């Protein structure tokens, strides 16, 4: 598993900020119909959750693609920090212990992968889905996100997989 660096976290935060700026409807529409306006972020947030789960996969094609995306994001972010603002590359804090996915949790992530690929191809929210997954991959193993979102997401997917495959299999 690839460990996130300051550069990778920076890329993830940049994607998140760009999405929020792109989405921002203005204060008046947000006050008038908040549920509809916030609902416009749903494709990004669902894909973000998938990206977090994808980076938690231990191996296989999904894990390799997520690790590769994180490695590239780390490199791009580190280059941007060094050449853009004169910073230094490096790891983002200590290595974070994360909750691994069970076999049935991994199966759910595989099913989610099929849904994400189909949604990117067929949905009008393809850009939001791709950006959300990339952002989730970049931020999924950072210290703050791993404690806040990755562990509950992994627990939910592990439980869902256990329940689904307990009934179906």
């Amino acid at each position: 598993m690839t460990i996130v660096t300051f550069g990778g976290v920076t890329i993830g935060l940049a994607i998140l900020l760009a999405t929020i700026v792109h989405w921002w409807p203005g204060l008046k529409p947000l006050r008038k119909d908040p549920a509809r306006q916030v609902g416009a972020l749903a494709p990004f947030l669902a894909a973000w959750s998938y990206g977090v789960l994808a980076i938690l996969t231990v191996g296989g094609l999904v894990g390799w693609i997520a690790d590769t995306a994180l490695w590239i994001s780390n490199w791009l972010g580190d280059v941007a920090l060094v050449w853009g603002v004169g910073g230094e590359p490096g790891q983002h804090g200590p290595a974070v212990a994360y909750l691994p996915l069970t076999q049935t949790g991994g199966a759910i992530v595989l099913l989610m992968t099929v849904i994400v690929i189909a949604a990117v191809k067929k949905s009008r929210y393809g850009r939001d889905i791709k950006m959300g997954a990339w952002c989730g991959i970049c931020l999924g193993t950072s210290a703050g996100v791993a404690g806040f979102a990755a562990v509950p997401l992994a627990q939910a997917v592990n439980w869902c997989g256990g329940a689904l495959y307990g009934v179906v299999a």
Side-chain angles (χ1 to χ4, degrees), residues 27-38:
L27 200 52
K28 188 173 181 180
L30 194 57
R31 285 184 179 161
K32 183 178 178 185
D33 191 7
R36 181 173 172 257
Q37 300 302 331
V38 174

Side-chain angles (χ1 to χ4, degrees), residues 18-119:
T19 299
I20 290 171
V21 168
H22 180 72
W23 159 80
W24 182 251
L27 200 52
K28 188 173 181 180
L30 194 57
R31 285 184 179 161
K32 183 178 178 185
D33 191 7
R36 181 173 172 257
Q37 300 302 331
V38 174
L41 285 175
F44 177 85
L45 294 175
W48 182 88
S49 298
Y50 167 76
V52 170
L53 291 168
I55 198 63
L56 294 179
T57 56
V58 176
L61 186 59
V62 173
W64 179 79
I65 290 170
D67 280 349
T68 302
L70 180 58
W71 176 79
I72 290 169
S73 299
N74 284 339
W75 184 83
L76 288 172
D78 287 342
V79 167
L81 287 173
V82 170
W83 291 93
V85 294
E88 293 183 23
Q91 277 191 300
H92 176 67
V96 176
Y98 64 93
L99 181 67
L101 297 173
T102 61
Q103 186 171 359
T104 56
I108 296 296
V109 173
L110 180 61
L111 295 174
M112 290 173 70
T113 301
V114 172
I115 292 168
V116 166
I117 291 170

